Structure formats: structure tokens, C-alpha cells
Amino acid sequence: MSHVFPRHTKSVLPVAASGDGPYLIDDQGKRYLDCGDAAVSCLGHSNPAVIAAVQAQVEKIAFAHTGFMTSQPAEALADLLIEHAPGDLDRVYFVSGGSEATEAAIKLARQYYMEIGQPERCHVIARRQSYHGNTLGALSAGGNEWRRAQFAPLLVDMTHIAPCYEYAEKAEGESSFDYGQRVANELEAEILRVGPEKVMAFMAEPVVGATLGAVPSVDGYYKRIREICDQYGVLLILDEVMCGMGRTGHLFACDHDGVAPDILCIAKGLGAGYQPIGAMMCSARIYAAIRDGSGFFQHGHTYVGHPVATAAALAVVTELTTRNLPARAAQMGEKLQSALEAALGQHPNVGDIRGRGLFRGIELVADRDSKTPLDPALGTAAKVKKAALAHGLICYPMSGTRDGKYGDHILLAPPFIIEDDQIDELVTKLTAALTEALG
């Protein structure tokens, strides 16, 4: 009998025993093509450079508390990230995962305004159907009602505007550009409603992951968002925990949109699963306000800047940059999109196939013409997950796509090392799983 507290008490899970490139292998020897581990394993499961970096660092020093010492791998990783970072991002605060990164971002935004003498700024605006993590601050920013509901009495008061969700929410006859400008302008309206002097930050995912299923913004949306933030002195926080680190074809996802944030959050692909790590990056201006003010960021965790975790991530980012893997993700993502469209583009229950790079989503519907979601009582997402696992495919189906209750999608996030024949394997196994789940 297991004493592990699982995610779901009624699930019996296979035991992961080993990894081989894009495959996970259980203790019975069954191989699973890993295309949905929450967009973590960008390098696959047996990268020799990362394994060697972890082993070498453990032999030197496993832990040093950042209240007393820094470490060489943390310093080198920060330098490498800033070398490639957008805009004037200049400092990196290492944490152990995505929720910690977004919590740190929210707290830094608040302290920044305290340091510069604007203590009335305390309000965060985010978007409906967003996901920013499961800790209470991150959950408060997130806009998925299903995840928020039972914890609502504990959450911080934040408000949410519309996502940029063209497939479901663009008006008939409206151009993509005009739609993007319309929903971006909701930010200005909300800032004015709350009071510009009270708003400290707007937080959003460049490509929405878990809750919408790889939904990118339309062209021009984020440029308008950036203009609004600048006009009202509001910080732009971009959450690239899932979509960043090469996943969507750029090392930093916001580069596709031609904008730079004031604060940026990364995780998942930063460590590629070899160690738990995330990071919050901030601009030189924000850092200077802390440095020239109190000098102390009132935040911290025990494992901040962990030497083994940063050594692993340094090897990961080195692999990503020296092997030009973000560009490969873009190239293979187009192949995956074409293969999905060929196999499922006319499927009666597939409404949309979307995404960027190796970050693709398939929205399932009851009717393609009306885009009507499937009945939530059918439990479609859970059925797809179970059927895919049986076929040896790990994917990430999720329910509640439209509003936290209605809608189902499948998120696909294969490793950047995936080959053409493995794309064929992915599509074949996914098609079989859909046939069983929807049959």
C-alpha cells in the first residue's frame, strides 16, 4: 500500500522507472511517448550533458543558503539568461517552480511601488481562463473558476478581463486585429474603473497553456497592452512558466509579439525536469528601486538559487541556445500542426487546432459549426487521458476550456528533440485515443 498522497485518490498510476529520449518507461517495460508532462521535458529524459552537470555539481556542493553565499552555477545561469533576455530585464531571482515565480513577481511589484513612494498601488489585473499557479497569490491572479471556487474565501482581491481567445470570442465579421485591440482595450477600461493610482500590475501568459489549450494572442494585441501599461504606469508581468524557454519557437515567448515585460516568470523548460527550478526576472529599473531604497527584497524560500538546480538549468539553457533548439521547436511544431490537421482537421468533434512551436492545442466540441462545447457530464478530457495512456501516449487533456466548466481541450507539448516518425506516432496514438473516448 502506498503512503504517497496522490493528485487523485481514485487513480492507479503506472510507476515511472526510466527514460529514453522522448519516452518514459514504466516498471513493466511499457514505453510512453511523452507529449504532455505540463511542457516540462523539452530535452527528453536522458540528456547526457544535463545529467553530467547535476552529477558534477553534487560532488562539489549540493546546497548553500543564499542568505549567506551565492554559487557559481547560479551566477553563470543568471548571466546566460540575461544575455538572451528581452528588453532591459537585468536581474534573475531563482525559485523552485512556476507558482513560486509568479508569487515572487506579485510581491516584487508591490514592493517596487512601496519603494518609489506609491503605496496606494496594490491591485493586480489578470485575465479570465488564465493559470498562474496554485499557491494563494498565484491562484488569485489566475482566472479559472473551477480552480478558484473552493478557495475563493482565501484569495486576494484581483480582477480579470477577457483573454485573447479568437476561436471562441471573436465577433462575426470582426477582423483578428480589431478583435485583439478590442480585448486589449479592456485593460484600459479596467484600470480606469479601479483607479489608475491603485493598479500595480497586469499579468498574462503570452500563449495560454493549461486552461485554454495553447491559445496565442493575435497580432498587435500585446503591443497595445504594452502601450496601456506604459500610459498608466502599470507593470507588465508576463508568465512564461509553460510557454517559455523555447517551447513556442523563441527562447522567450514574448519575442514573437515584439514586446518586453517589466517582470517575467519562467520555470518548467528551464530545468527540463532534471531539477525543480523556476525564475522571476525583472528590469534594471525595478531592481534599482530596491537597491537604492531599502536594499532588501522582503521575500524568500530555503531553496532559492539551489546550486544543483541552477547547475542543471545552466546545462539546459546551454543546450537550448548552442543547439538552436527553439528554432527546431518552431520547425517541428509546424510539422506537428500539419500532421494534426491532416488526421483530425475534419473530425466532427475537433473545433480548433492551434498553438505555436511545439505547444499545440486541440479544442473538442459537440458541433463544429456552432462551436458548441461537449456536455461536461461526459467527462471527455479524462476519457482521452486514460485512453491515450493505454496507447502509450502521455498528453494533457483538460476540461473547462471556455469558462471553467464547459469545454474540453488537449494540450500537446513534445520535447524539442522529437523526430518525424515520432510525430506520426503521436498523431496515430492520439487519433486512436480520441476514437475510443468519443466513440
Side-chain angles (χ1 to χ4, degrees), residues 192-203:
L192 294 172
R193 188 193 71 80
V194 173
E197 74 285 354
K198 296 179 182 178
V199 179
M200 69 180 189
F202 174 66
M203 179 181 284

Side-chain angles (χ1 to χ4, degrees), residues 15-332:
V15 177
S18 60
D20 177 20
Y23 295 93
L24 280 170
I25 306 166
D26 69 18
D27 61 352
Q28 304 302 307
K30 182 174 178 178
R31 296 168 69 87
Y32 303 81
L33 183 60
D34 186 2
C35 299
D37 60 4
V40 172
S41 297
C42 56
L43 298 180
H45 295 282
S46 53
N47 183 280
V50 185
I51 292 169
V54 171
Q55 292 171 335
Q57 185 59 44
V58 170
E59 289 178 353
K60 294 175 185 176
I61 178 66
F63 176 72
H65 195 285
T66 54
F68 303 92
M69 293 183 176
T70 186
S71 70
Q72 186 277 329
E75 295 290 338
L77 176 59
D79 288 346
L80 183 57
L81 288 170
I82 294 303
E83 178 186 340
H84 294 278
D88 70 340
L89 295 179
D90 188 63
R91 294 283 172 157
V92 185
Y93 188 93
F94 293 113
V95 291
S96 297
S99 295
E100 286 187 17
T102 53
E103 288 280 343
I106 293 166
K107 291 178 74 174
L108 180 63
R110 171 59 180 165
Q111 185 169 339
Y112 167 74
Y113 284 110
M114 292 290 290
E115 299 275 2
I116 66 170
Q118 298 182 34
E120 66 280 4
R121 287 191 186 261
C122 60
H123 190 81
V124 174
I125 301 170
R127 302 191 297 184
R128 288 187 283 105
Q129 285 304 94
S130 58
Y131 181 70
H132 299 296
N134 262 331
T135 50
L136 290 177
L139 192 61
S140 299
N144 181 264
E145 288 305 316
W146 175 76
R147 287 173 170 83
R148 292 169 54 91
Q150 67 175 323
F151 304 107
L154 307 177
L155 301 183
V156 179
D157 182 24
M158 302 181 186
T159 54
H160 298 85
I161 63 172
C164 191
Y165 183 16
E166 182 179 18
Y167 170 71
E169 298 188 359
K170 187 179 75 172
E172 186 175 352
E174 188 175 30
S175 72
S176 293
F177 179 82
D178 288 345
Y179 164 69
Q181 298 301 292
R182 173 169 65 83
V183 291
N185 284 331
E186 286 194 21
L187 174 59
E188 182 175 35
E190 183 62 10
I191 290 171
L192 294 172
R193 188 193 71 80
V194 173
E197 74 285 354
K198 296 179 182 178
V199 179
M200 69 180 189
F202 174 66
M203 179 181 284
E205 302 156 271
V207 181
V208 186
T211 49
L212 278 184
V215 172
S217 63
V218 300
D219 289 345
Y221 172 82
Y222 271 107
K223 288 188 176 180
R224 178 61 185 140
I225 290 290
R226 180 74 266 184
E227 289 173 358
I228 294 167
C229 289
D230 290 342
Q231 180 179 352
Y232 294 99
V234 171
L235 298 179
L236 176 58
I237 302 173
L238 291 183
D239 176 355
E240 297 195 4
V241 166
M242 188 174 261
C243 64
M245 291 291 96
R247 173 62 57 190
T248 56
H250 297 269
L251 190 63
F252 294 96
C254 60
D255 282 341
H256 178 96
D257 298 291
V259 298
D262 302 292
I263 301 175
L264 186 142
C265 301
I266 52 176
K268 298 190 186 293
L270 175 62
Y274 290 88
Q275 288 282 291
I277 188 169
M280 180 268 293
M281 306 170 66
C282 75
S283 68
R285 171 173 60 103
I286 293 173
Y287 180 77
I290 308 297
R291 181 197 63 208
D292 299 338
S294 67
F296 174 63
F297 179 31
Q298 194 173 332
H299 184 61
H301 300 279
T302 300
Y303 289 117
V304 162
H306 192 277
V308 181
T310 52
L314 176 61
V316 169
V317 179
T318 300
E319 287 281 275
L320 293 175
T321 53
T322 59
R323 295 171 58 186
N324 202 20
L325 291 177
R328 191 174 197 280
Q331 175 192 16
M332 298 306 287

